[in-house]
Every structure is written in structure tokens, then in C-alpha cells.
């Protein structure tokens, strides 16, 4: 269900980006990508770890406890959101001028905080639905939200008279804010019908401790990953200027990479993202029931490896046609080749993170995330002034590959000895009958 939803979302995403590329300048899209780095940083603090904890808890709790789980997670999220929002609103103008190089995007940052609050509520509800295997509601909600975003943003930009970069970014964010009301309203209605907002379980306290025990290390992982990635993106324009480009030229190249190149090379994430979303709570549920999740883990890695390899091969052959047909432009071939390789690494890495989180190894994921992202950032600072945007992409490949290798070694370390000889099997081994064993 999630794969079908993600596949449709990919198609809608392409239509959205085609619309953006035709209604906004590349420099505006580059500035928007920098603003979205701030967005991702705040989301990593407020939402990412919370998602993992809530989905895992929802997988093992009974239905009457869902209202208490929602209340607990909403309290934690609101506290984290205020922790990030208040300082940014007070010192936002100076921050925008220093970090983004443009103090006039401060109004965009203000409405971005509203968008993040709505996104947080949506993700709490979505995590509970996924943990309780009610994925259809998540799929429909996401489709409705993205359709609303597409219509709102494109129509707002078409009616815009002053198409400065700052105005363009503001109206893109404004469309995102209103589209969040669609998904939140849908999921709130679904939650109320299935679980109700009144706690019907036993008179226990809130799940604050249970959520923070799992969510805190997962949040640190997301923050570390997003922080280094955001720093890399924010220093990219200056690094490209040292390579010999102008500031507007650097923003235009960043905008093309994020609007055209990355979406094409990450097409297989429709499958991998869906699998990872349900894999983590499923493994958690099996472990809680004292079962063995290793057959499921082997199957997951096998499917991702085969699907990712086939998809990457097809992208190597057809990305020129896809780019020319959809966006009317041919991106740099070397950049696209590097990004396709990065995509293959990401597919396996996302799966390995879902497995480790399902096995409650969040601290392991944190350590490897910090090491991989730090190494990646160092490479970006060294290579971009020499190799330009291709050095940025190559640095990401090396950093992500290091993190994947560490994750896979950790998965193997936690695998029982009797399972290790089957870890490379594409299909689960057949259970031997008694006569075969004899």
C-alpha cells in the first residue's frame, strides 16, 4: 500500500518540480533548498526520533492506549518545537543573514515554523497508524496533502507579480503550510474514528519515559546527520564560488541539482521508503514477542539489493531521456552517474537503519551517523573548491558508503551464530523435515 502511494507521490513530485522549474528561477529554487536545510534541521530535533519511538510503541500497545500515546508524544513534540521556534523567531533575521546569506527570507522562516508544527502533529498520527498497521489512511493522507501542495504552490507562483527570489520562496512555503492542514485534518478524523481521543486504557501515567528512552538516541542520530548535511549544503555556495562561480550561478546549480538530478536518481526510494517504514515496527513487534526477526531481515536486504540494482541500472540507461522529457534539460552526466551510485548506497543504508532501530540499537545508529557525516563534511570542504559540484556528490557517496559498511557490520554482529551462514541467502532457507535432518 505504501509503495503504491509512494510511486504515485513520485509522479506527482515530478509534476510539481516541473511546475516549479517553469514558474520559478533556478536561483530562487537554490535559495529555497537552503531554507529547507533549516527546515530539515528543526524537523530532525522535533520529529525524527519521535517517529521511531511512537511507531515502535504503537506496535506493541493495545488500541485503548493509543489516545494516551498520542497525548504523550504531542507534549514532547510541543516542548521540542518551542525549544527551537522561540530562539529562531527572536534572532531569526540575523540568523538568515549569516547562515543563508539573505536576511529578507526571515518572513519565510516564520511561517516555516507553523508548517513544522503541523508536520509534527501529522507525523505523530502517521506513526501511530503505521505502528498499528493502518497504512491505508497514511497513503491517502499523503496523496491528498501533496495534491493540495502542488495546486496551491503552482497557482500562487503563477499569480505572483514580483518574482524575486525571496517572494518566490515565501509563497512556496505558504503553500506547504496550507497543504499540511489537509493531511492533519484527515489523520485526526481517522484517529478519532479508530481509537478515539479519550483514554480507555488503565489509569497509568503518560508514556513520556518510554518515548524518550527510544526517541532520544534516535533524535540525536537525526540531528547529527541533518546538522552535518545542512552545514555541507550551507557552505556549498561559498565553496562553489571558490571553485570559480558567481553566487547566483552557484545557487542556480544547486537548484538544478536538487530539483532535477536528485529526484530522478532517487526514484527507487518509493519502494525502499515504504519497506523501511513498516520494517522497523514489524521487527520491534517480533522482538517484543520473543520471536526471531532474522528471516524477515534477510528478505528485506535481499529485496532492496535486487530492486535497487535493477532500478539503478535502468536509471544509468534512461536518465537522459527522463530529464529531457520531463524538465527539458540535460544535467551534467558525471554528476548524474555519481548520484545514481549514491542512491544505491542510500537504499541499503536506509534499510540497515530500520533494522537496527527495530533491534533497539539506536545508540549504534547514532555513533555511525556522526562518524559518516563528519567524514563526509570534511571531504566536501576539501573537494568542492577543486572539483565543483561533482566533488560534493562524490563526497556524499564516500560518506554514505562508510556509514553503510558500519551499519552492516553491526547487523552481522547482533545476528545469532546459527543465522550467519544464511545471511547472504536471497530466499529464506527451507525448514528441514525430520527425515531430511536424519
Amino acid at each position: 500500500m505504501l509503495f503504491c502511494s509512494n510511486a504515485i507521490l513520485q509522479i506527482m513530485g515530478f509534476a510539481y518540480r516541473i511546475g516549479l522549474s517553469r514558474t520559478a528561477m533556478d536561483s530562487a529554487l537554490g535559495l529555497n533548498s537552503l531554507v529547507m536545510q533549516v527546515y530539515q534541521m528543526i524537523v530532525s530535533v522535533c520529529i525524527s526520533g519521535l517517529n521511531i519511538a511512537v511507531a515502535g510503541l504503537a506496535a506493541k500497545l493495545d488500541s485503548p492506549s493509543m489516545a494516551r500515546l498520542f497525548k504523550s508524544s504531542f507534549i514532547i513534540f510541543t516542548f521540542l518545537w518551542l525549544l527551537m521556534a522561540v530562539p529562531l523567531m527572536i534572532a531569526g533575521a540575523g540568523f538568515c543573514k549569516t547562515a543563508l546569506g539573505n536576511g529578507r527570507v526571515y518572513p519565510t522562516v516564520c511561517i516555516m515554523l507553523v508548517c513544522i508544527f503541523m508536520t509534527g502533529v501529522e507525523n505523530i498520527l502517521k506513526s501511530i497508524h503505521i505502528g498499528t498497521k493502518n497504512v491505508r489512511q497514511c497513503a491517502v493522507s499523503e496523496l491528498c496533502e501533496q495534491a493540495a501542495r502542488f495546486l496551491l504552490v503552482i497557482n500562487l507562483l503563477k499569480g505572483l507579480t514580483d518574482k524575486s527570489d525571496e517572494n518566490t520562496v515565501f509563497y512556496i512555503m505558504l503553500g506547504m503550510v496550507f497543504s499540511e492542514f489537509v493531511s492533519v485534518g484527515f489523520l485526526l478524523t481517522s484517529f478519532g474514528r479508530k481509537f478515539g481521543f479519550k483514554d480507555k486504557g488503565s489509569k497509568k501515567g503518560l508514556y513520556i519515559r518510554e518515548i524518550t528512552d527510544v526517541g532520544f538516541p534516535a533524535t540525536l542520530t537525526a540531528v547529527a546527520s541533518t546538522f552535518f548535511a545542512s552545514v555541507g549544503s550551507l557552505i556549498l555556495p561559498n565553496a562553489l564560488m571558490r571553485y570559480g562561480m558567481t553566487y547566483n550561478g552557484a545557487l542556480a546549480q544547486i537548484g538544478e541539482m536538487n530539483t532535477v538530478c536528485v529526484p530522478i536518481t532517487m526514484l527507487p526510494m518509493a519502494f525502499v521508503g515504504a519497506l523501511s517504514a513498516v520494517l522497523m515496527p514489524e521487527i520491534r513487534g517480533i522482538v517484543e514477542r520473543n520471536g526471531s526477526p532474522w528471516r524477515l531481515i534477510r528478505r528485506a536486504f535481499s529485496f532492496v539489493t535486487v530492486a535497487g540494482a535493477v532500478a539503478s541500472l535502468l536509471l544509468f540507461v534512461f536518465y537522459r531521456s527522463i530529464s529531457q522529457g520531463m524538465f527539458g534539460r540535460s544535467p551534467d552526466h558525471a554528476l548524474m552517474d555519481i548520484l545514481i551510485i549514491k542512491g544505491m548506497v542510500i537504499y541499503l543504508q536506509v534499510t540497515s537503519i530500520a533494522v537496527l532501530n527495530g533491534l533497539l540499537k539506536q545508540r549504534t545508529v547514532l555513533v555511525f551517523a556522526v562518524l559518516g557525516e563528519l567524514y563526509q563534511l570534511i571531504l566536501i570542504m576539501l573537494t568542492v573548491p577543486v572539483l565543483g559540484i561533482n566533488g560534493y556528490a562524490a563526497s556524499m557517496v564516500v560518506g554514505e558508503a562508510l556509514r553503510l559498511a558500519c551499519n552492516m557490520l553491526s547487523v552481522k554482529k547482533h545476528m545469532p551464530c546459527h543465522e550467519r551462514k544464511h545471511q547472504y541467502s536471497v530466499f529464506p532457507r527451507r525448514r528441514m523435515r525430520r527425515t531430511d535432518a536424519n
Side-chain angles (χ1 to χ4, degrees):
M1 177 65 69
L2 288 178
F3 166 68
C4 293
S5 168
N6 288 349
I8 297 173
L9 286 172
Q10 292 275 22
I11 297 172
M12 294 172 64
F14 270 107
Y16 176 63
R17 290 180 176 89
I18 291 170
L20 282 180
S21 66
R22 293 177 179 176
T23 55
M25 296 183 293
D26 283 345
S27 58
L29 297 178
L31 181 61
N32 184 64
S33 69
L34 297 183
V35 172
M36 291 305 295
Q37 294 301 321
V38 182
Y39 175 95
Q40 293 295 341
M41 188 67 205
I42 299 175
V43 165
S44 68
V45 174
C46 302
I47 302 173
S48 299
L50 198 60
N51 284 348
I52 295 171
V54 171
L57 278 172
K60 72 173 189 174
L61 294 174
D62 54 1
S63 293
S65 302
M66 292 301 123
R68 190 162 69 251
L69 177 60
F70 173 74
K71 182 179 179 181
S72 305
S73 52
F74 181 76
I75 291 172
I76 295 173
F77 164 70
T78 303
F79 170 76
L80 293 173
W81 181 82
L82 289 172
L83 198 65
M84 299 296 294
V86 172
L88 190 57
M89 291 188 70
I90 294 174
F95 170 81
C96 292
K97 185 174 182 180
T98 303
L100 304 178
N102 190 333
R104 295 187 297 275
V105 296
Y106 175 63
T108 302
V109 171
C110 290
I111 63 168
M112 177 191 72
L113 294 172
V114 179
C115 182
I116 292 173
F117 185 84
M118 299 299 297
T119 302
V121 177
E122 176 200 359
N123 275 266
I124 292 171
L125 294 166
K126 191 183 297 183
S127 297
I128 294 175
H129 279 80
I130 290 176
T132 53
K133 300 184 179 180
N134 293 295
V135 299
R136 183 179 304 172
Q137 292 81 354
C138 300
V140 175
S141 163
E142 197 69 33
L143 289 172
C144 292
E145 177 193 341
Q146 295 304 320
R149 177 181 299 184
F150 173 79
L151 293 173
L152 285 168
V153 171
I154 299 303
N155 282 299
L156 284 171
L157 292 182
K158 282 184 177 179
L160 189 62
T161 54
D162 180 7
K163 292 186 178 293
S164 65
D165 291 351
E166 298 81 15
N167 274 354
T168 300
V169 173
F170 179 85
Y171 281 100
I172 291 174
M173 187 61 67
L174 188 64
M176 290 175 60
V177 171
F178 285 113
S179 67
E180 289 294 337
F181 284 92
V182 176
S183 56
V184 170
F186 183 91
L187 290 174
L188 277 173
T189 303
S190 171
F191 183 90
R193 289 177 177 176
K194 286 190 171 295
F195 308 111
F197 291 97
K198 185 176 180 180
D199 188 4
K200 303 173 184 177
S202 59
K203 298 299 181 180
K204 295 181 179 178
L206 298 175
Y207 294 115
I208 302 295
R209 178 66 181 273
E210 291 85 350
I211 293 174
T212 53
D213 283 347
V214 176
F216 182 67
T219 297
L220 290 179
T221 301
V223 170
S225 300
T226 309
F227 173 76
F228 288 116
S230 297
V231 170
S233 297
L234 293 175
I235 66 173
L236 183 57
N238 289 329
L240 289 174
M241 290 171 66
R242 292 200 299 273
Y243 178 67
M245 303 181 69
T246 64
Y247 180 73
N248 285 336
L251 286 181
Q253 191 165 55
I254 295 169
E256 180 179 298
M257 180 181 69
N258 291 325
T259 306
V260 179
C261 303
V262 172
I264 292 175
T265 57
M266 296 304 289
L267 275 171
M269 277 301 293
F271 168 75
V272 179
L275 184 145
S276 300
V278 296
L279 181 62
M280 189 278 293
E282 190 69 21
I283 293 174
R284 176 77 181 276
I286 293 173
V287 172
E288 291 289 340
R289 296 189 296 269
N290 296 320
S292 174
W294 295 104
R295 179 176 180 270
L296 175 63
I297 292 171
R298 289 198 304 272
R299 290 294 293 268
F301 277 119
S302 299
F303 280 130
V304 171
T305 301
V306 173
V310 172
S312 298
L313 181 61
L314 292 174
L315 285 176
F316 271 119
V317 177
F318 294 111
Y319 75 77
R320 294 175 179 84
S321 301
I322 295 173
S323 175
Q324 191 64 42
M326 289 190 168
F327 297 97
R329 62 181 76 183
S330 295
D332 181 77
H333 297 329
L335 176 63
M336 289 293 290
D337 292 341
I338 297 171
L339 289 175
I340 292 172
I341 296 171
K342 178 204 167 194
M344 184 64 199
V345 175
I346 290 290
Y347 310 146
L348 289 169
Q349 187 203 104
V350 168
T351 307
S352 68
I353 291 173
V355 169
L356 290 171
N357 281 327
L359 296 173
L360 296 179
K361 304 299 178 185
Q362 285 85 8
R363 289 177 176 81
T364 301
V365 176
L366 169 62
V367 173
F368 294 154
V370 172
L371 291 176
E373 296 291 344
L374 180 59
Y375 183 59
Q376 180 175 300
L377 179 60
I378 294 172
L379 288 177
I380 288 172
M381 292 188 293
L382 293 175
T383 59
V384 173
V386 179
L387 301 175
I389 199 73
N390 291 340
Y392 176 77
S395 299
M396 290 193 293
V397 172
V398 175
E400 301 293 357
L402 173 64
R403 185 176 174 185
L404 171 62
C406 294
N407 286 349
M408 295 301 292
L409 288 173
S410 181
V411 171
K412 181 178 179 180
K413 176 183 175 182
H414 293 100
M415 183 182 293
C417 294
H418 66 277
E419 295 280 355
R420 292 187 182 181
K421 60 182 178 181
H422 304 290
Q423 62 179 311
Y424 299 110
S425 301
V426 175
F427 299 101
R429 59 193 176 100
R430 179 173 62 88
R431 188 183 298 277
M432 291 194 299
R433 297 175 298 180
R434 186 177 299 277
T435 52
D436 294 337
N438 291 340

